[in-house]
Amino acid sequence: MAAIIQVKNVAKSYWRNSLEIPVLHGITLDVEEGEFMALMGPSGSGKTTLLNLIAGIDRPSSGKLSVAGTDIAKLNESALAKWRSANVGFIFQFYNLIPVLTAYENVELPLLLAKLSRAERKKHVENVLNIVGLGDRIYHYPKQLSGGQEQRVAIARAIVTDPAILVADEPTGDLDKNSAQEILTLMGRLNKEFKKTIVMVTHDQHAAERATRLLHLDKGDLSANGKN
Amino acid sequence: MKVLKLIFKNSLRHKLRTSLTILGIAIAVIAFGLLRTVVTIWDSSVDAAGADRLITRQSVSFIFPLPLAYKTKIEAVPGVKAVCSAAWFGGTYIDKSNFFARQAADDNVFDVYPELLLTPKDFDTYKKTRNGCIVGASIAEQFKFKMGDIIVLDGDIFPGRWEFVVCGIYQPKNKNTDGTQMFFHYDYLNEKIKQTSPGRGDQAFWYIVQINDPNKSAQISEQIDAIFKNSTAETKTETERAFTQGFVAASGAIISAMNFMSYAIIGIIMLVLANTMIMSARERTREYAVFKTLGFSALHLTGLILGESMVISCVGGGIGLALLYPIVAGFEQVMPKGFFPFFFIEPITAILAVSSAVLIGFLAAVFPIQRALSTKIVDGFRFVG
Ligand SMILES: Nc1ncnc2c1ncn2[C@@H]1O[C@H](COP(=O)(O)OP(=O)(O)OP(=O)(O)O)[C@@H](O)[C@H]1O
Ligand SMILES: [Mg+2]
């Protein structure tokens, strides 16, 4: 079976004041379905950039990107948006919850784009909040939660539409050790129990050890470190 | 729906900022409404001037009198239907603050001004009473004048103590008809003046000239003025409309300024709301990136931002409009009667105020929407406010 994520010769440059800043040079990478891949590398090496390309929130300058069976480099903005909402769940370092919405409402947000009844939405939201262990915090606002709890809400939001792929950009970067452990355990569960393919950028060696595969990115080039 | 809830929650994020903006919009709408009310009053008092009436006055100023003999000469001009002599009385009723127009006029004044409605019976009583007077319904209500009451005026232009018997109360025919005037017999004034200061007898301050064809007003005016050319008292004849405008000539400039200001206020408050919206949208750059990441479309974001802008501007506009009516009513109470012959909010003023609020809400959202839509997701996440 073909890899769920296929990156072929992907290059990405940014333009600053008509000056080209090359970030990724010809990356080629396959991620199999059900893999939990960790991406490490020094700051500025292009980890976030690569993750954003895979997740379809940025576009490559050249190369081919096939994710979940779709050639996403060819999609227009609205098709790409639709594709994202169906195929990818996002977990960020700073959680990026909407502060005026409760945990419940934050998780419900992606479902508003699907044609679901209120009752169906409720079922899904309560289900994922229970998976992340926050069934008793559903009417709390983000500022009433700890960092670890906020990140769990964010994870619930990422999985509520049941996407095949989760991308996480330093999901434990802003957390204390214990909370980080909890988040990593949760992500491991999502990978094993719920068969999510995960691509995670991290600076943390402990985090990387949870992954089934580790890749290093340095100045825009990949080097594999084999499987854990 | 959910989006509506989010719009409300967003607008309440900075309660103080939102409240101040709403207050600002409310005040702007009130100021706009008040200014426009004054402007429309002025416009409609000019409009109320009859097109078939000319005013003949002394060429230099209407404070100088004209000989009474002019009346018959004007009557003889072809196209003239009726001539009514009039004199401004001035004077004080009990207290200087009780201001209303008092004038002596020939009895045909109620023919020349058909918009002043008087019953034939009252008119009859008036004609038979030497020192009779007719008052407008507005001042009758304000000063509780009843038939048979004696109104005592303390004269200044025509010194002395003057007593008038109320013989009738006229009703203003239209909403913009002045209901605050008092009329009495010109003959009575003339008679009494001849006794006290004979040199001032047989004089009128202006003549109201009713003509048959309003289209001939310019021609007839010229003809009238030509008769008295090179006499000791030359005349200036113009339409009542021009006369009314000239009467408030100084106000004319003020009115133009008010007119301009009423729109300037709307412009200023639009900038205030735009500023609020830009600040909010800027703070939410990351959140907009989140919405886009999750698959929300440009239309959703537009709805969020426009909705918030509209909520603020419409709440502010609604509060302003709700307060405008009692405030205008309050103004009417404290303002001396007769200062403005009538004072009410024209429907067009309310409509303009509401549509301004809507327009403000719309325009204030344009820039933040444009910014939110054009910011790429990755740049939104990298944005540090
Ligand atoms: N939207 C952008 N516009 C311009 N330059 C960018 C943009 N995004 C990233 N870059 C540049 O690309 C390079 C790689 O950035 P990227 O964020 O991918 O690094 P990273 O490996 O994630 O670093 P870190 O570990 O600090 O998060 C950096 O030099 C950065 O300045
Ligand atoms: Mg990064």
Side-chain angles (χ1 to χ4, degrees):
Chain A
M1 208 180 107
I4 189 165
I5 300 170
Q6 298 173 30
V7 182
K8 271 203 193 82
N9 244 327
V10 162
K12 175 72 184 175
S13 303
Y14 288 109
W15 289 88
R16 270 291 126 92
N17 309 322
S18 71
L19 205 77
E20 189 178 4
I21 309 166
V23 179
L24 301 173
H25 332 101
I27 301 270
T28 298
L29 163 74
D30 277 5
V31 181
E32 301 296 330
E33 193 161 358
E35 266 194 304
F36 184 170
M37 196 190 83
L39 192 58
M40 295 190 79
S43 187
S45 57
K47 303 182 296 297
T48 298
T49 303
L50 178 57
L51 197 72
N52 289 343
L53 292 176
I54 291 171
I57 57 175
D58 203 356
R59 289 167 181 285
S61 306
S62 65
K64 253 194 91 172
L65 258 174
S66 169
V67 184
T70 306
D71 191 349
I72 59 170
K74 288 206 177 117
L75 298 179
N76 65 24
E77 278 311 316
S78 63
L80 197 56
K82 218 176 213 146
W83 175 85
R84 276 198 306 270
S85 65
N87 295 285
V88 190
F90 293 82
I91 304 163
F92 306 92
Q93 178 177 359
F94 299 110
Y95 332 127
N96 284 333
L97 299 176
I98 307 299
V100 289
L101 299 180
T102 61
Y104 182 96
E105 290 165 336
N106 264 288
V107 176
E108 191 185 21
L109 217 45
L111 293 181
L112 296 178
L113 294 172
K115 286 192 183 69
L116 290 176
S117 71
R118 175 189 285 263
E120 284 171 309
R121 290 202 303 266
K122 189 164 191 279
K123 204 180 76 194
H124 286 294
V125 172
E126 284 175 353
N127 180 33
V128 290
L129 278 169
N130 282 326
I131 292 175
V132 301
L134 282 178
D136 56 342
R137 293 278 196 282
I138 62 175
Y139 297 119
H140 284 54
Y141 285 92
K143 62 167 179 283
Q144 299 168 325
L145 299 169
S146 72
Q149 288 171 333
E150 276 194 78
Q151 191 62 299
R152 281 192 273 158
V153 174
I155 291 173
R157 181 178 67 186
I159 61 175
V160 74
T161 53
D162 198 24
I165 300 165
L166 292 181
V167 296
D169 197 348
E170 302 185 39
T172 58
D174 209 43
L175 295 176
D176 63 79
K177 216 168 156 189
N178 284 339
S179 304
Q181 287 302 333
E182 283 171 24
I183 294 299
L184 290 167
T185 306
L186 178 58
M187 290 180 67
R189 242 188 95 202
L190 292 176
N191 174 240
K192 289 201 183 66
E193 235 176 87
F194 296 90
K195 307 287 178 240
K196 302 291 176 203
T197 304
I198 301 178
V199 180
M200 175 178 74
V201 167
T202 185
H203 278 291
D204 179 3
Q205 192 60 44
H206 294 292
E209 280 163 13
R210 300 291 189 112
T212 55
R213 182 178 167 199
L214 181 59
L215 281 180
H216 271 281
L217 195 61
D218 202 355
K219 293 186 186 123
D221 291 306
L222 273 181
S223 59
N225 279 42
K227 307 220 174 193
N228 276 16
Chain B
M1 218 205 78
K2 289 280 165 192
V3 178
L4 229 56
K5 191 172 171 190
L6 188 56
I7 286 171
F8 276 106
K9 283 184 162 190
N10 271 340
S11 56
L12 291 176
R13 236 187 249 208
H14 292 278
K15 291 194 179 63
L16 182 64
R17 187 161 84 193
T18 304
S19 313
L20 289 178
T21 309
I22 286 176
L23 186 69
I25 293 170
I27 291 172
V29 164
I30 291 168
F32 177 82
L34 272 178
L35 287 171
R36 298 244 39 100
T37 297
V38 173
V39 171
T40 40
I41 286 168
W42 188 81
D43 282 348
S44 58
S45 55
V46 171
D47 283 349
D52 67 342
R53 289 191 292 258
L54 308 177
I55 304 287
T56 300
R57 59 164 172 95
Q58 210 270 353
S59 63
V60 178
S61 165
F62 59 83
I63 64 167
F64 299 120
L66 295 168
L68 196 60
Y70 281 18
K71 184 179 173 184
T72 33
K73 289 184 183 165
I74 297 170
E75 279 170 342
V77 173
V80 171
K81 191 171 160 194
V83 179
C84 173
S85 342
W88 184 255
F89 182 80
T92 307
Y93 174 63
I94 304 174
D95 190 278
K96 276 230 179 315
S97 66
N98 296 332
F99 181 85
F100 53 88
R102 299 150 199 142
Q103 42 193 305
D106 287 341
D107 290 355
N108 64 358
V109 68
F110 295 102
D111 299 328
V112 175
Y113 286 99
E115 64 265 41
L116 311 180
L117 304 176
L118 192 64
T119 65
K121 196 172 142 271
D122 287 355
F123 185 60
D124 222 44
T125 319
Y126 174 60
K127 271 206 298 202
K128 287 181 190 144
T129 314
R130 208 170 66 98
N131 64 338
C133 73
I134 302 289
V135 292
S138 311
I139 47 169
E141 191 189 338
Q142 190 192 4
F143 297 104
K144 316 243 173 330
F145 294 143
K146 298 185 308 292
M147 302 288 281
D149 277 2
I150 307 280
I151 297 177
V152 181
L153 296 182
D154 190 13
D156 38 34
I157 304 172
F158 303 100
R161 181 188 147 96
W162 298 74
E163 287 185 9
F164 298 98
V165 182
V166 177
C167 294
I169 293 166
Y170 77 82
Q171 299 295 330
K173 187 175 170 199
N174 306 313
K175 211 174 176 190
N176 62 1
T177 304
D178 187 354
T180 67
Q181 305 181 80
M182 168 184 172
F183 294 96
F184 57 91
H185 301 291
Y186 172 80
D187 290 342
Y188 176 63
L189 177 77
N190 199 21
E191 228 172 80
K192 277 197 81 169
I193 276 306
K194 276 184 186 162
Q195 290 165 15
T196 52
S197 37
R200 294 180 62 193
D202 289 335
Q203 289 176 331
F205 281 84
W206 65 84
Y207 294 102
I208 305 150
V209 182
Q210 195 175 29
I211 57 177
N212 290 318
D213 181 359
N215 294 322
K216 296 221 173 86
S217 58
Q219 189 190 325
I220 295 174
S221 297
E222 268 174 42
Q223 275 177 289
I224 293 172
D225 292 344
I227 301 173
F228 307 110
K229 192 113 184 129
N230 300 321
S231 73
T232 48
E234 292 192 355
T235 59
K236 178 171 176 182
T237 303
E238 56 195 348
T239 59
E240 189 181 74
R241 183 167 305 210
F243 180 75
T244 310
Q245 264 165 346
F247 198 76
V248 279
S251 338
I254 296 171
I255 292 294
S256 306
M258 283 182 156
N259 208 350
F260 171 77
M261 257 158 57
S262 67
Y263 290 106
I265 284 171
I266 295 299
I268 290 166
I269 204 66
M270 194 199 76
L271 295 181
V272 171
L273 179 61
N275 187 49
T276 301
M277 288 311 300
I278 287 167
M279 281 202 284
S280 301
R282 203 181 148 79
E283 288 162 4
R284 293 174 204 159
T285 305
R286 262 176 170 276
E287 287 171 36
Y288 296 146
V290 172
F291 277 109
K292 287 192 205 171
T293 301
L294 295 180
F296 285 86
S297 66
L299 211 63
H300 290 113
L301 289 189
T302 304
L304 273 188
I305 301 171
L306 184 63
E308 183 174 349
S309 189
M310 283 295 180
V311 163
I312 293 176
S313 67
C314 290
V315 169
I319 291 174
L321 195 65
L323 292 179
L324 180 61
Y325 285 87
I327 286 174
V328 166
F331 257 83
E332 200 181 3
Q333 289 303 309
V334 298
M335 226 152 16
K337 264 272 153 56
F339 192 76
F340 286 116
F342 36 83
F343 207 72
F344 57 91
I345 302 168
E346 290 266 11
I348 183 72
T349 300
I351 292 168
L352 269 179
V354 170
S355 30
S356 303
V358 172
L359 188 72
I360 286 170
F362 181 77
L363 290 180
V366 169
F367 184 69
I369 287 173
Q370 188 268 332
R371 186 174 178 278
L373 297 191
S374 62
T375 305
K376 286 204 219 128
I377 295 177
V378 286
D379 292 328
F381 282 127
R382 287 166 59 90
F383 179 81
V384 268

